[in-house]
Amino acid sequence: MGTVIAIAFVSLDGFVTDPDGSGGTPYGGWAFRHGPEAVGGDKFRLGATLDDGVMLLGRRTWQLFSGLFPTRTDDFATKMNKIPKLVASRHLTDVSGWSHSTLVDGDVVDAVRREEREVVVTGSASVVHLLQEHELIDEYRLLTFPSIVGAGERLFGPTSAPVHLTCVSSEQVGAAVLTQYRRA
């Protein structure tokens, strides 16, 4: 199994719901209020992983991204369009709208365990939570924004046992702080 990296925009109070406002929630848009330079490009420092890895997205994240990236031609969008994408969905039947997308055939946990490339879980809190339950996430790269949202879904929920991580790096990226954690 390859390394599993979860990336997420996170509010200062730990919420991941609706950072761009596309979900129409009353508190949505909290990350994007800091401007496009705060969220655009390879803010998560994925680099070669975008060339050699695979992305795992839930239905909502895939639908959002498949409406944004296919028509873009900048360097980051080109990499996003080329990377193989696994889509975890019980509702979608067609993912041909974004190149190199494939529906996960069967169980998501099994698919991740079989994957030999690095897996980047993008957004998709429900997929992250599922992988957390099975202790499959090796690394978190979190872009934490100075916004207190007060509601929504948290990246980390209740656990049956503590999870200990090591902070690998932390750097200011525009208005946010990119922090990289690995399993201790």
Side-chain angles (χ1 to χ4, degrees), residues 72-136:
R72 294 186 182 174
T73 57
D74 60 271
D75 290 342
F76 180 68
T78 298
K79 287 184 177 235
M80 289 289 285
N81 289 325
K82 286 183 179 180
I83 189 171
K85 293 165 272 295
L86 298 174
V87 184
S89 175
R90 291 181 293 265
H91 304 290
L92 289 176
T93 56
D94 180 18
V95 292
S96 63
W98 193 15
S99 62
H100 308 289
S101 295
T102 306
L103 284 167
V104 172
D105 185 22
D107 184 68
V108 173
V109 170
D110 289 340
V112 170
R113 285 184 174 139
R114 285 190 309 266
E115 185 58 56
E116 294 182 12
R117 298 168 287 188
E118 278 192 329
V119 177
V120 178
V121 186
T122 306
S124 309
S126 61
V127 174
V128 170
H129 293 159
L130 177 65
L131 297 181
Q132 286 170 335
E133 287 175 31
H134 293 274
E135 299 180 4
L136 292 176

Side-chain angles (χ1 to χ4, degrees), residues 39-82:
V39 296
D42 188 9
K43 294 293 188 246
F44 292 101
R45 308 291 192 254
L46 294 170
T49 301
L50 291 175
D51 297 324
D52 305 324
V54 60
M55 292 186 87
L56 174 61
L57 306 105
R59 175 186 53 84
R60 286 183 298 226
T61 303
W62 183 87
Q63 287 175 319
L64 175 67
F65 286 8
S66 69
L68 296 173
F69 286 105
T71 59
R72 294 186 182 174
T73 57
D74 60 271
D75 290 342
F76 180 68
T78 298
K79 287 184 177 235
M80 289 289 285
N81 289 325
K82 286 183 179 180

